[in-house]
Amino acid sequence: MSDPVRIAQFIGSSFVESREPGTFASLNPSDPADVVALAPRGAKEDAAKAVQAASQAFPTWRHMSGPARADALYQWASRIQDRHEELSQAIAREVGKPLGEARGEVSRCIAILRYFAGDAVRSVGEVIPALSDGPLQYSLRQPLGVVTLITPWNFPLAIPLWKAAPALAMGNTVVFKPAEQSPWCAQLLAETSIGLPDGAFNVVQGDGETVGTALIEDPGVKAVSFTGSIEVGTIIQKVSAARNVKCQTEMGGKNAAIVLKDADLPRAAGLVAAGAMRFAGQKCTATSRVIVEKAVYTEFVSVLVKAVESLPVGPASDPATAVGPVIEESAQHRLTRALENSPFEREHVSRATCPGYYVPPTVFGRVDPGSDLAQDELFGPVLAVLEAEDLDHAVEIGNATRFGLSTAVYTQDISSAMRFVDRIEAGLVRVNGDTTGVDPHAPFGGTKASSSGTREQGPVAKDFYSEWKTVQINP
Ligand code: ADP
């Protein structure tokens, strides 16, 4: 086992010591005896220095031409490509993401950077006819300034990049605050950013309450993009509203898959099992409820159980693993308690006898739609099966949560699919597909309590990271 990596702050494109000497350890969830990194607890002064560095970099970065900014992002993608396997292994080791999915995440990072590099040369406005003949009137996108990005641990490279890439493409500079559980991945991301102009991308590590609070309150910060819990997202919304700065939050889901009686049941079962259990259910788009039409309830549950059983549970470093450990001991305890306290029938419990923070993939049958199990986001390998009379009843149950991130319907009937797409309250809708995963060039985000602000990713991501200027030039 190698010595823990010492994590430093990344300010002005250099690694520097934190003002706060205290550290916390990042452990390998598949083998907690493996201490991956020792990271600074972080100080308010670190945050202030990073905002200052980003503010100093802003005039240079924003006045570089669009093609030059695009080139800088393409080069960042190439540096990630050069370290693809190393970064994939780091994700698997530090956050317990099975290696196959970790490799997919790194490939996605490259695609994200390349996509948004294109946006740096496509951020065009419009010519708008003026009321009178003569003036030239047009609109153009302008960057905001320094933006703060606050992220969770479950996509430790992709989430920061799907925020940073459009932010930088539009000419903003960035201060990134990663999650306490993934400091090593954040440090590696910082290393790959070297080559951008100094101070364009900064990383401040540490405790959310200390460093995160300093970064959302700093008067130099012009916008905050956040992914994480509802509790923290709500604080960020309030602070940003009081400061009148832009804010965008993505705060999770209780995603439902709906299986109708005419569905291809084995195919649906495979996709539901994968959506619920892969990466131990720790994606905000993971399937956590499956609502099954009464006529096929028993038959579907029996194929679902087989599909869940077939998913290998094991250490994240093994490429054959589908279900790894959960992120940390407190998550393992929280999930174990929720499983023990659930009054519902266990249709299936997989074996999980590895030494890390494992929670056995568990399927509960005939779950009450109003119960905690059907309402609370558990963020673990737990699936609630519910029964519905028909499509409309299934949609009613599907909509009866505070969240609205991702959803899927399984049916062979185009009319049912279209009725579902129209009525379901969610930002991401799949027909005969899994609720997890999105193409990085398509808009991502949810309705209701899942998200706020404009959508991330795809062609609309730039809306958050720019504001319009309307210009009229008179002869
Ligand atoms: P999760 O439960 O998904 O880990 P959290 O909302 O607790 O999500 O954390 C997501 C991110 O928010 C992390 O980077 C964390 O450090 C940061 N954070 C936690 N508390 C605060 C806060 N009060 N202000 C700003 N950021 C915070």
Side-chain angles (χ1 to χ4, degrees):
M1 229 171 267
S2 45
D3 284 344
V5 180
R6 300 293 303 208
I7 304 294
Q9 308 295 26
F10 183 70
I11 300 176
S13 301
S14 299
F15 287 102
V16 294
E17 288 295 314
S18 169
R19 281 287 295 274
E20 160 60 53
T23 58
F24 57 85
S26 160
L27 308 180
N28 176 348
S30 305
D31 174 11
D34 173 23
V35 182
V36 175
L38 289 175
R41 297 214 148 269
K44 285 195 158 90
E45 291 84 350
D46 302 342
K49 266 174 64 183
V51 175
Q52 211 178 8
S55 304
Q56 276 167 9
F58 178 59
T60 311
W61 179 248
R62 74 162 287 201
H63 286 121
M64 274 168 66
S65 68
R69 283 202 305 274
D71 195 42
L73 295 179
Y74 282 125
Q75 287 179 31
W76 193 357
S78 300
R79 291 190 293 271
I80 291 180
Q81 178 77 66
D82 292 344
R83 297 175 69 176
H84 196 296
E85 186 57 19
E86 176 199 354
L87 295 170
S88 306
Q89 302 263 359
I91 294 174
R93 182 170 166 217
E94 188 167 48
V95 305
K97 178 173 291 189
L99 189 57
E101 291 205 56
R103 288 180 177 141
E105 178 172 347
V106 176
S107 297
R108 168 182 291 231
C109 289
I110 296 162
I112 288 168
L113 280 163
R114 289 184 180 151
Y115 176 85
F116 287 109
D119 257 358
V121 291
R122 276 195 304 259
S123 61
V124 287
E126 286 180 314
V127 173
I128 304 155
L131 269 180
S132 56
D133 189 27
L136 168 65
Q137 180 164 261
Y138 60 95
S139 61
L140 78 160
R141 285 183 190 271
Q142 298 258 281
L144 307 171
V146 177
V147 300
T148 286
L149 314 178
I150 301 181
T151 65
W153 50 266
N154 60 339
F155 287 81
L157 299 185
I159 296 180
L161 274 177
W162 82 47
K163 297 177 189 293
L168 290 165
M170 290 297 103
N172 304 281
T173 53
V174 168
V175 181
F176 160 45
K177 152 73 183 88
E180 290 88 325
Q181 295 89 341
S182 55
W184 184 40
C185 288
Q187 177 143 304
L188 292 171
L189 185 64
E191 283 175 23
T192 63
S193 78
I194 293 175
L196 290 171
D198 291 351
F201 179 79
N202 305 274
V203 185
V204 188
Q205 306 244 19
D207 172 61
E209 263 189 68
T210 311
V211 173
T213 304
L215 286 177
I216 59 175
E217 291 180 347
D218 193 301
V221 168
K222 305 300 182 211
V224 182
S225 179
F226 169 81
T227 302
S229 63
I230 284 216
E231 294 70 28
V232 176
T234 306
I235 296 172
I236 290 175
Q237 286 168 345
K238 285 188 183 148
V239 172
S240 303
R243 294 187 50 230
N244 193 28
V245 298
K246 275 183 156 183
C247 162
Q248 175 186 60
T249 62
E250 201 279 282
M251 304 177 287
K254 187 72 191 173
N255 310 301
I258 291 179
V259 179
L260 298 180
K261 61 179 183 233
D262 67 335
D264 174 340
L265 295 186
R267 179 179 172 206
L271 290 165
V272 169
M277 303 301 177
R278 282 188 171 273
F279 189 23
Q282 300 172 109
K283 301 174 189 171
C284 21
T285 51
T287 309
S288 57
R289 299 177 293 156
V290 56
I291 305 166
V292 186
E293 197 168 357
K294 199 173 183 173
V296 291
Y297 183 93
T298 310
E299 190 186 347
F300 178 73
V301 169
S302 80
V303 272
L304 174 67
V305 163
K306 286 200 189 82
V308 172
E309 258 166 13
S310 72
L311 295 172
V313 180
S317 57
D318 181 346
T321 293
V323 185
V326 296
I327 182 69
E328 56 198 350
E329 194 174 19
S330 60
Q332 188 187 34
H333 288 165
R334 174 178 57 75
L335 284 156
T336 306
R337 259 197 320 276
L339 295 181
E340 281 167 5
N341 292 340
S342 171
F344 302 105
E345 192 181 323
R346 281 170 176 69
E347 295 288 356
H348 175 72
V349 184
S350 295
R351 273 200 307 277
T353 48
C354 322
Y357 301 133
Y358 289 89
V359 173
T362 305
V363 179
F364 287 99
R366 301 200 183 280
V367 172
D368 172 356
S371 63
D372 292 351
L373 191 64
Q375 291 291 326
D376 299 339
E377 186 182 39
L378 285 174
F379 228 62
V382 184
L383 179 62
V385 191
L386 296 85
E387 189 180 85
E389 296 296 327
D390 54 21
L391 169 63
D392 287 349
H393 186 212
V395 169
E396 188 187 317
I397 297 172
N399 286 341
T401 72
R402 62 179 173 158
F403 295 108
L405 185 58
S406 186
T407 187
V409 69
Y410 299 93
T411 179
Q412 315 271 17
D413 177 42
I414 188 73
S415 306
S416 300
M418 289 178 73
R419 193 172 171 89
F420 174 82
V421 169
D422 180 54
R423 291 169 190 222
I424 200 74
E425 294 164 356
L428 307 162
V429 185
R430 294 278 162 85
V431 176
N432 297 324
D434 157 2
T435 61
T436 66
V438 283
D439 292 357
H441 47 277
F444 175 84
T447 58
K448 303 197 283 189
S450 288
S451 305
S452 70
T454 48
R455 292 279 189 268
E456 301 198 80
Q457 304 193 67
V460 297
K462 59 179 176 285
D463 292 342
F464 182 73
Y465 296 104
S466 60
E467 59 192 357
W468 289 107
K469 185 175 268 180
T470 306
V471 184
Q472 197 182 78
I473 301 179
N474 289 279

